[in-house]
Amino acid sequence: MSTSGVVTAPDGIPRCPWGMESEQMADYRAYHDTEWGLPVHGDDALFERMSLEAFQSGLSWITILRRRPGFRAAFAGFEIAAVARFTDEDAARLLADPGIIRNRLKIAATIHNAKVATALAPGELDALIWSYAPDRAGRPVPRTVGDVQPVTPESTALAKDLKKRGFRFVGPTTAYAMMQACGLVNDHLADCHARTTAEAAATG
């Protein structure tokens, strides 16, 4: 790792180190370069990210990333209205599905959260989540991974609001991971090539 915190790959491009520290480096690299930190909007899209981050709790992200196609197939593309209609039989099906993480509590929480989300008006989940995006101008630019905190006041407030509305498995750490992944914050390191792209996408 360089003193600036980034890692330069054989392709000569500097990246955040987490995108280079896996045997599945190509998977992480693609996710880092083309998704992480770019703005995500839409109720269903944000519901998917919220759900996947909840499933990731206690596991490595590569475990979830490699199973994302299986998750999407199992959870009807994370369409909120469809998941909210899941029955006990669907829950049993999911518990037997090797394409996802078969955690009973997380499966139940995902179905429950879809039901909660259906009580919101169209676009309200998007507006709710994005209302907790901090002022980008006031945030210091991280130079090393040590500068990136796992919990922030905004993620704590977002988690509290979501829990108050009935959502489950949305603690402050999970909420911040979602904020990072969905571009509410730009935690690409200062010298990472993707930082400029993420910033332009957020402000353009």
Side-chain angles (χ1 to χ4, degrees), residues 110-130:
T110 302
I111 297 171
H112 169 84
N113 288 347
K115 296 180 189 298
V116 173
T118 59
L120 302 176
E124 189 174 352
L125 181 62
D126 184 308
L128 167 65
I129 291 173
W130 276 90

Side-chain angles (χ1 to χ4, degrees), residues 43-125:
D43 293 342
D44 290 344
L46 287 166
F47 173 67
E48 175 183 358
R49 297 303 184 93
M50 180 194 301
S51 302
L52 292 179
E53 293 294 349
F55 271 101
Q56 186 272 334
S57 179
L59 303 170
S60 66
W61 177 246
I62 192 63
T63 300
I64 304 302
L65 191 60
R66 292 170 63 190
R67 289 171 170 78
R68 185 163 58 170
F71 273 108
R72 287 174 170 170
F75 284 97
F78 288 98
E79 180 185 347
I80 292 171
V83 178
R85 292 192 296 268
F86 277 16
T87 63
D88 290 344
E89 288 73 21
D90 288 303
R93 167 181 59 82
L94 292 167
L95 280 170
D97 189 338
I100 67 171
I101 303 301
R102 291 175 286 185
N103 181 295
R104 185 182 301 274
L105 293 177
K106 292 177 181 180
I107 288 170
T110 302
I111 297 171
H112 169 84
N113 288 347
K115 296 180 189 298
V116 173
T118 59
L120 302 176
E124 189 174 352
L125 181 62

Side-chain angles (χ1 to χ4, degrees), residues 165-176:
R165 294 167 187 266
F167 288 93
R168 299 174 183 169
F169 270 94
V170 286
T173 302
T174 297
Y176 192 63

Side-chain angles (χ1 to χ4, degrees), residues 15 33 35 69 76 81 85 91 99 124 130 136 148 161 182 198 203:
R15 293 179 173 87
D33 288 359
E35 292 189 61
R85 292 192 296 268
E124 189 174 352
W130 276 90
R136 306 181 84 84
V148 180
D161 195 344
C182 296
T203 59

